[in-house]
Amino acid sequence: MRLHWRRIRAVVIKELREYRHNGAIIAAMTIIPVVFVIQPLVALLVTPHTAARSLTRDDLLLYLLAVPALVPATLASYSVVGERQQGTLEPVLTTPIRQDEFLLGKALAAFAPSVIISYVVFAVFVALVELFAHPGVASAVVRAPELIAQLIFTPLLAAWSIWVGIGISARTNDVRTAQQLATLASLPAIAVTSLIAYKVIPANTRVALGFGIALLVLDRLGWRITSATFNRERLITGTQ
């Protein structure tokens, strides 16, 4: 059946409006990037120029891929259970909107700010290193392959985290529980990117290609599984 983008857009607008007025979500969108940025940023800023060459052994910028893995999970975990706690889930689901349109609207509402935040945080991080790090540090850390990896893998990681978060949100009755479970579900992706960043897993074209294909497959499966297991009647009645 054909998707009606007007209804999807209405869900996106409604969701973004709720994000803007939800202090907990705004706090999470602010705190999570800071937590993952502050330690590597401080480490790079205090690194003397004599130690700059040693930084080329690691791909520290890949560590920042944790941001697009965690921020979307936090937003998406609110998507369904948040509606339930506000008492707006049943009215929404009893409208003519199809479940695919509902899920896609929720996913897009989480996807856009998550990707924007991830890119902005990365840009600010790089700018601070370029401006305030000792000579030679920035050139040792900021390299073309890492920049390309951030550009490509950020939306792929965000999409996977969003489908996981929505799936969890649809099966829990508490926002905090949903956020905790979604965060735990994001840890394997963070572990992989961190291991690549610190050369435990070699950072080469074959690994990047395999990781990208795996994320594409997971994103597709996440959409299909979430849509297939989304039980409209159960959500309306509130049964488990």
Side-chain angles (χ1 to χ4, degrees), residues 16-236:
L16 291 176
R17 189 180 298 118
E18 290 182 6
Y19 290 163
R20 191 170 64 250
H21 293 95
N22 191 308
I25 288 180
I26 293 176
M29 291 169 62
T30 304
I31 293 172
I32 290 174
V34 170
V35 168
F36 280 91
V37 164
I38 193 68
Q39 188 272 332
L41 179 61
V42 171
L44 290 176
L45 294 181
V46 300
T47 299
H49 71 277
T50 54
R53 181 174 296 181
S54 64
L55 296 174
T56 60
R57 301 170 187 168
D58 298 325
D59 300 293
L60 294 179
L61 292 185
L62 296 182
Y63 180 74
L64 298 183
L65 286 173
V67 176
L70 279 179
V71 171
T74 302
L75 295 179
S77 63
Y78 177 83
S79 58
V80 180
V81 70
E83 295 264 16
R84 179 186 283 121
Q85 289 196 344
Q86 293 179 28
T88 57
L89 182 60
E90 182 175 348
V92 170
L93 293 180
T94 53
T95 64
I97 189 171
R98 294 173 50 208
Q99 70 179 40
D100 286 347
E101 295 166 346
F102 176 79
L103 291 172
L104 191 55
K106 293 287 187 179
L108 289 174
F111 182 81
S114 299
V115 171
I116 291 172
I117 289 172
S118 299
Y119 284 148
V120 169
V121 168
F122 181 75
V124 170
F125 183 93
V126 170
L128 291 174
V129 171
E130 291 281 359
L131 290 172
F132 300 110
H134 290 93
V137 172
S139 59
V141 174
V142 183
R143 301 187 296 262
E146 284 81 356
L147 298 177
I148 295 172
Q150 289 286 337
L151 183 66
I152 294 174
F153 291 121
T154 289
L156 295 177
L157 282 167
W160 165 243
S161 295
I162 285 167
W163 290 125
V164 171
I166 292 177
I168 291 172
S169 183
R171 294 185 171 274
T172 54
N173 295 315
D174 179 71
V175 172
R176 184 172 298 178
T177 300
Q179 290 177 339
Q180 291 172 347
L181 292 174
T183 299
L184 287 174
S186 302
L187 292 181
I190 297 173
V192 172
T193 57
S194 298
L195 290 174
I196 295 174
Y198 291 104
K199 295 294 188 181
V200 177
I201 298 176
N204 53 45
T205 304
R206 182 179 298 179
V207 171
L209 185 61
F211 190 46
I213 292 174
L215 285 174
L216 284 171
V217 172
L218 288 173
D219 291 344
R220 183 68 175 176
L221 286 175
W223 157 249
R224 287 184 173 273
I225 293 172
T226 302
S227 181
T229 58
F230 189 83
N231 191 317
R232 194 182 188 115
E233 290 73 19
R234 180 184 61 80
L235 290 171
I236 291 175

